[in-house]
Amino acid sequence: MLVSIIYLLIVVLLLVSMWKVYKKAGRQGWEGIIPIYNLYVMLQIINRPWWWLLIMIFVPIANIIFSIIALKEFLEKFGKGIGFTIATIFFPFITFPMLAFGDDQFKNE
C-alpha cells in the first residue's frame, strides 16, 4: 500500500512538472502530459522533423538514440548540459521538478 502511494505521488509530481516545463517552453501545459503527442511537441520545440516521432516509436535501438538526442536538445533550450541530460535519463523524477520549479528560463535560440 505504501509503495503504491509513493508511486502515485511520483507520477503526479512528474505530470505537474511536465505541465510546467512545457508552459515555460511557450506551449500549453496539457501538451506535456499527453503520451506520444508530448514527443511530437518536443520535436517541434527543438525544430526536428515530424518523422523523428516515427523513429522514436517504431525503430528499435534507433529510438533510444533519437530520444536521447531530442532530450539533450530540449534541455539545452533551458541552458542545461550533457550532465543534466544524463541525470534526466536516470532520475527524471528529480530533474524535471528541478527544471519546472527552478529559475531556469526557456531560450529559443
Side-chain angles (χ1 to χ4, degrees), residues 89-102:
I89 291 168
F90 294 105
F91 305 108
F93 53 89
I94 295 172
T95 56
F96 271 108
M98 287 172 56
L99 195 61
F101 300 106

Side-chain angles (χ1 to χ4, degrees), residues 2 4 15 22 37 40 48 66 69 79 85 94 103:
L2 180 61
S4 297
L15 288 173
Y22 274 66
Y37 183 66
Y40 175 73
R48 290 294 179 178
F66 276 62
I69 292 169
T85 302
I94 295 172
D103 295 332

Side-chain angles (χ1 to χ4, degrees), residues 6 14 33 39 46 63 68 94 100:
I6 292 171
L14 279 171
I33 63 172
L39 295 175
I46 63 172
N63 63 351
I68 291 171
I94 295 172

Side-chain angles (χ1 to χ4, degrees), residues 21-41:
V21 167
Y22 274 66
K23 291 279 286 184
K24 279 187 174 183
R27 302 298 301 223
Q28 297 292 317
W30 63 267
E31 292 177 311
I33 63 172
I34 305 297
I36 307 216
Y37 183 66
N38 64 354
L39 295 175
Y40 175 73
V41 172

Side-chain angles (χ1 to χ4, degrees), residues 23-95:
K23 291 279 286 184
K24 279 187 174 183
R27 302 298 301 223
Q28 297 292 317
W30 63 267
E31 292 177 311
I33 63 172
I34 305 297
I36 307 216
Y37 183 66
N38 64 354
L39 295 175
Y40 175 73
V41 172
M42 180 188 291
L43 293 174
Q44 287 181 328
I45 291 169
I46 63 172
N47 298 316
R48 290 294 179 178
W50 64 269
W51 52 264
W52 271 47
L53 182 62
L54 297 177
I55 292 172
M56 292 168 75
I57 295 172
F58 297 115
V59 182
I61 299 175
N63 63 351
I64 296 169
I65 295 166
F66 276 62
S67 296
I68 291 171
I69 292 169
L71 179 63
K72 178 186 165 291
E73 291 180 8
F74 183 72
L75 294 174
E76 283 176 347
K77 297 278 188 175
F78 289 93
K80 300 299 184 184
I82 190 69
F84 197 85
T85 302
I86 293 168
T88 302
I89 291 168
F90 294 105
F91 305 108
F93 53 89
I94 295 172
T95 56

